[in-house]
Amino acid sequence: MTPTASQSAHKTIAVALTGASGMPYGLRLVECLLSAGCRVWLLYSQVAQIVARQEMDVALPARTEEVEAQLGARFKAAAGQLRVFGREEWFAPPASGSNPPDAMVVCPCTMGTLASIAAGLAGNLIERAADVVIKEGRKLILVPRETPFSALHLENMLRLARMGVVILPPNPGFYHHPKTVDDLVDFVVARILDQLAVPHALMARWGEAQAAAEVIPAPSSHQ
């Protein structure tokens, strides 16, 4: 069954931004989740602040209330729809299994964060939130941005995949004939939203364009 916008409005999604390259994926994901009516809990690392500045010229202040106001206005979030938590904010909802999100996405995900999650560490709120999501049986999606992957990276990913964690590298396809970098970003974000069962219209699905073409009659040679 295709999810509806009203169903998405009841979802709470935790999104963690870490210090890997690929910040456009993470911020576009936050924008799309808010647009779909989801409640978003945003977490970010100190290195993510540096990457956001370098890749997108976006400042993520150290004060979480400033980030909440800034991104809330930028993405037109409703009151209370976006909440931002610091990496040491241990009383934040995602730190406890008594109040887990419906799902969590780490995007982009560093290899260090991925390794910590695979080892069950909880040295900061991002790692603890991921640990909670796994133990509570909720969906965890990691978007690892690194190349090439070492054997250690792959072993950590396999360990997590065997636990049910979704490993979704940001590998865009080209069958939709992207024209801009934004098109490539949206391809990856669309795949994440599909995993979250959040509706979107970022791109045509495979077969839809061909199906639409087939219902249009070909011009008659007699005309």
Side-chain angles (χ1 to χ4, degrees):
M1 181 177 64
T2 301
T4 64
S6 61
Q7 290 172 322
S8 296
H10 300 290
K11 290 179 180 288
T12 298
I13 310 297
V15 177
L17 311 175
T18 68
S21 179
M23 197 58 60
Y25 298 118
L27 291 182
R28 178 61 167 153
L29 174 62
V30 171
E31 179 182 13
C32 290
L33 289 171
L34 293 170
S35 179
C38 297
R39 182 167 61 164
V40 176
W41 291 345
L42 181 64
L43 301 78
Y44 60 94
S45 70
Q46 290 177 318
V47 183
Q49 294 174 276
I50 299 172
V51 175
R53 171 77 73 176
Q54 181 176 0
E55 294 188 343
M56 301 185 68
D57 199 25
V58 170
L60 295 177
R63 294 174 61 88
T64 56
E65 58 269 26
E66 293 179 16
V67 178
E68 196 170 292
Q70 173 185 306
L71 295 183
R74 175 173 177 164
F75 297 142
K76 299 179 175 60
Q81 190 184 6
L82 173 65
R83 297 187 63 187
V84 182
F85 303 106
R87 65 192 302 272
E88 305 295 337
E89 201 166 336
W90 298 109
F91 287 101
S96 173
S98 67
N99 194 12
D102 295 299
M104 179 176 178
V105 186
V106 184
C107 176
C109 182
T110 65
M111 291 299 101
T113 299
L114 189 146
S116 294
I117 295 171
L121 303 181
N124 56 53
L125 184 59
I126 291 175
E127 296 167 5
R128 170 58 183 168
D131 187 58
V132 166
V133 168
I134 292 173
K135 79 183 184 70
E136 295 298 326
R138 308 297 173 90
K139 176 165 279 190
L140 175 61
I141 301 170
L142 304 183
V143 183
R145 222 309 307 170
E146 184 61 272
T147 190
F149 291 131
S150 71
L152 181 58
H153 298 155
L154 294 170
E155 287 171 358
N156 285 332
M157 290 183 210
L158 181 59
R159 184 178 187 183
L160 287 165
R162 285 173 171 160
M163 298 179 199
V165 175
V166 176
I167 307 298
L168 198 158
N171 300 332
F174 293 87
Y175 56 80
H176 62 307
H177 303 291
K179 302 295 191 300
T180 66
V181 172
D182 288 342
D183 292 338
L184 297 175
V185 170
D186 280 356
F187 182 96
V188 173
V189 173
R191 300 286 73 77
I192 299 171
L193 294 172
D194 286 345
Q195 286 291 319
L196 295 170
V198 171
H200 64 85
L202 294 182
M203 56 176 290
R205 297 185 181 279
W206 179 259
E208 287 183 350
Q210 181 64 29
E214 289 174 353
V215 300
I216 302 175
S220 170
S221 58
H222 300 293
Q223 294 179 347

